[in-house]
C-alpha cells in the first residue's frame, strides 16, 4: 500500500525530514521515524517524487519495480530512464552505444547499462534475461530506440528503408516478443511503445520513419488485445516534433527540401504545434501509462503534439 505524508504533518508525528535535490527531482529521506500513534512504524523511508508533488510525500507504485528502456543513452530515452529512476525503480539503460549507455546509467541510482542492438534477436533476448537475472523480474518495457532517414520516397534506396524498419519496427516487435513473457511471469506490468505524430498523416521526406511508426501504433494495439488477459497493458505515446538531436540534426535538410529560409523550420513548428515538445513531457506521458494512474488504459495512443493533429491550419 502506498505511504503518503504531508510535509506539514511530518513534524507533528515525529518525522525528521531532510531534502536533497539532484537533476530535476527531489529526494526526501525520513530519518529516525518514530510515529507516536504507531510504534511499529517504518524506521527508514526513502521517498522520491517530482517537485510539483512537494505537498505530499508518496512512494510511487513503480518503486522497486524493474524497467527496461531501449535507446536510453540520450534524448527521450534518457529522460524516460531518469523518470523511472526518480521514483525508485530499477532501470536498465539499453543502447547500441555501450559507452554512452554506461555513462548515462552512471548518472542514475539503481541503474545498469546494457549494450543492445534492437535489430538483433539474440541481443534483445539477452537484454530481457539481464533484467530478470539482475533484479528478479521485469515489470515495464519501453522500446524507444529509433532512427530516421530524411529523403523523398523516390530517392530513398531499399537499404535505407530496411534500416529504418529494422530499428523502429523490428526492434519494437522483438522487445514486445521477449519482454511480454517475462512481465507475465512477474505478475503483470506494462509496455509503452514510442510512436510519432507522423504515424497519423502523410509526412514528406520521412516516409520510412512515418510508415514504421504507423506500424508500431498498430502493433501496440494488437499486443494490447493479445496480452490483456495476461495482466499486461500495452500503450503508445505519440509525440509531435520534440526538440531532440534526431530532429534538430535534420533541420537544415528539411529547410532546404521545403524551400524554407534559415530558421524557417522552427517557425513552421511554432505555427503548427505552438513550439517544440520537450523530452520531459514525453517522459511524463510514459510514466502515466506505465503506472497505476492508467490501469484501465490499454491499446491506446496518447498524442502529445500541441494540437498539430487537431487542425488543418
Amino acid at each position: 500500500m502506498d505511504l503518503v505524508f504531508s510535509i506539514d504533518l511530518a513534524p507533528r508525528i515525529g518525522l525528521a525530514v531532510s531534502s536533497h535535490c539532484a537533476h530535476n527531482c527531489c529526494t526526501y529521506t525520513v530519518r529516525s521515524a518514530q510515529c507516536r500513534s504507531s510504534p511499529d512504524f517504518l524506521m527508514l523511508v526513502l521517498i522520491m517524487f517530482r517537485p510539483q508533488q512537494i505537498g505530499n510525500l508518496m512512494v510511487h507504485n513503480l518503486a522497486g519495480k524493474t524497467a527496461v528502456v531501449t535507446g536510453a543513452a540520450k534524448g527521450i530515452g534518457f529522460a524516460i530512464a531518469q523518470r523511472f529512476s526518480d521514483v525508485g525503480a530499477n532501470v536498465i539503460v539499453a543502447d547500441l552505444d555501450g559507452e554512452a549507455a554506461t555513462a548515462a546509467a552512471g548518472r542514475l541510482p539503481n541503474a545498469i547499462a546494457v549494450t543492445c542492438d534492437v535489430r538483433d534477436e539474440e541481443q534483445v533476448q539477452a537484454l530481457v534475461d539481464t533484467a530478470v537475472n539482475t533484479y528478479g523480474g521485469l515489470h515495464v518495457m519501453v522500446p524507444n530506440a529509433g532512427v530516421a532517414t530524411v529523403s523523398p520516397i523516390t530517392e530513398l534506396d531499399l537499404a535505407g528503408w530496411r534500416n529504418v524498419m529494422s530499428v523502429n519496427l523490428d526492434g519494437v516487435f522483438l522487445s514486445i516478443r521477449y519482454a511480454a513473457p517475462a512481465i507475465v511471469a512477474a505478475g503483470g506490468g506494462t509496455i509503452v511503445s514510442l510512436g510519432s505524430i507522423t504515424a497519423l498523416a502523410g509526412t514528406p521526406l520521412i516516409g520510412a520513419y512515418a510508415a514504421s511508426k504507423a506500424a508500431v501504433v498498430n502493433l501496440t494495439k494488437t499486443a494490447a488485445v493479445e496480452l490483456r488477459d495476461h495482466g499486461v497493458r500495452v500503450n503508445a505515446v505519440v509525440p509531435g516534433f520534440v526538440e531532440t538531436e534526431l530532429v534538430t540534426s535534420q533541420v537544415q535538410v528539411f529547410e532546404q527540401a521545403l524551400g524554407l529560409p534559415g530558421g524557417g523550420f522552427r517557425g513552421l513548428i511554432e505555427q503548427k504545434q505552438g513550439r517544440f515538445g520537450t523530452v520531459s513531457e514525453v517522459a511524463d506521458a510514459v510514466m502515466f501509462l506505465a503506472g497505476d494512474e492508467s490501469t484501465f488504459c490499454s491499446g491506446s495512443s496518447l498524442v502529445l503534439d500541441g494540437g498539430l493533429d487537431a487542425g488543418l491550419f
Side-chain angles (χ1 to χ4, degrees):
M1 183 173 63
D2 288 353
L3 301 174
V4 183
F5 300 97
S6 164
I7 287 181
D8 294 336
L9 179 63
R12 296 202 297 272
I13 62 174
L15 303 182
V17 182
S18 63
S19 66
H20 315 277
C21 186
H23 306 301
N24 64 340
C25 68
C26 292
T27 301
Y28 272 72
T29 306
V30 181
R31 303 181 186 279
S32 301
Q34 182 179 3
C35 181
R36 297 187 183 114
S37 61
S38 176
D40 295 328
F41 191 76
L42 295 174
M43 295 301 292
L44 178 65
V45 182
L46 179 64
I47 302 167
M48 296 181 178
F49 61 95
R50 298 283 310 285
Q52 294 91 322
Q53 297 171 318
I54 199 167
N56 290 296
L57 301 182
M58 293 190 295
V59 175
H60 197 281
N61 67 281
L62 292 173
K65 299 296 180 66
T66 300
V68 170
V69 185
T70 67
K74 59 184 179 181
I76 290 174
F78 179 73
I80 294 168
Q82 188 174 39
R83 280 288 189 272
F84 283 117
S85 179
D86 287 349
V87 300
N90 305 310
V91 185
I92 289 81
V93 177
D95 204 280
L96 179 63
D97 186 338
E99 186 175 334
T102 299
R107 297 168 56 188
L108 306 174
N110 303 320
I112 62 170
V114 173
T115 303
C116 181
D117 183 343
V118 297
R119 300 169 295 184
D120 187 300
E121 185 173 6
E122 291 184 357
Q123 291 190 39
V124 175
Q125 185 174 13
L127 170 64
V128 172
D129 289 343
T130 297
V132 173
N133 294 335
T134 303
Y135 296 112
L138 176 62
H139 307 92
V140 182
M141 167 61 83
V142 183
N144 164 76
V147 296
T149 297
V150 179
S151 172
I153 293 173
T154 55
E155 298 177 13
L156 178 63
D157 59 31
L158 185 59
W161 170 271
R162 285 178 172 168
N163 180 58
V164 172
M165 289 295 171
S166 64
V167 176
N168 295 6
L169 182 55
D170 294 354
V172 174
F173 160 70
L174 291 172
S175 295
I176 295 174
R177 165 67 180 83
Y178 287 102
I183 295 172
V184 172
T190 58
I191 299 171
V192 185
S193 62
L194 270 293
S196 165
I197 198 64
T198 63
L200 307 183
T203 310
L205 305 179
I206 49 174
Y209 179 82
S212 71
K213 292 300 185 178
V216 165
V217 169
N218 191 276
L219 179 62
T220 297
K221 293 178 181 294
T222 301
V225 175
E226 290 187 0
L227 297 172
R228 177 178 53 204
D229 294 340
H230 301 281
V232 182
R233 295 186 297 108
V234 190
N235 294 286
V237 173
V238 180
F241 288 87
V242 178
E243 197 158 22
T244 64
E245 182 180 334
L246 185 67
V247 174
T248 58
S249 64
Q250 301 297 330
V251 165
Q252 289 187 341
V253 178
F254 273 110
E255 289 177 343
Q256 291 174 2
L258 297 174
L260 297 173
F265 184 74
R266 181 174 291 275
L268 181 62
I269 292 299
E270 291 175 353
Q271 176 188 350
K272 296 294 186 179
Q273 63 177 46
R275 59 173 173 81
F276 278 107
T278 68
V279 296
S280 294
E281 289 168 329
V282 179
D284 285 342
V286 171
M287 289 297 294
F288 168 72
L289 292 173
D292 282 353
E293 296 83 1
S294 60
T295 52
F296 198 50
C297 184
S298 193
S300 298
S301 297
L302 178 54
V303 176
L304 305 172
D305 71 346
L308 172 61
D309 186 52
L312 294 175
F313 302 103

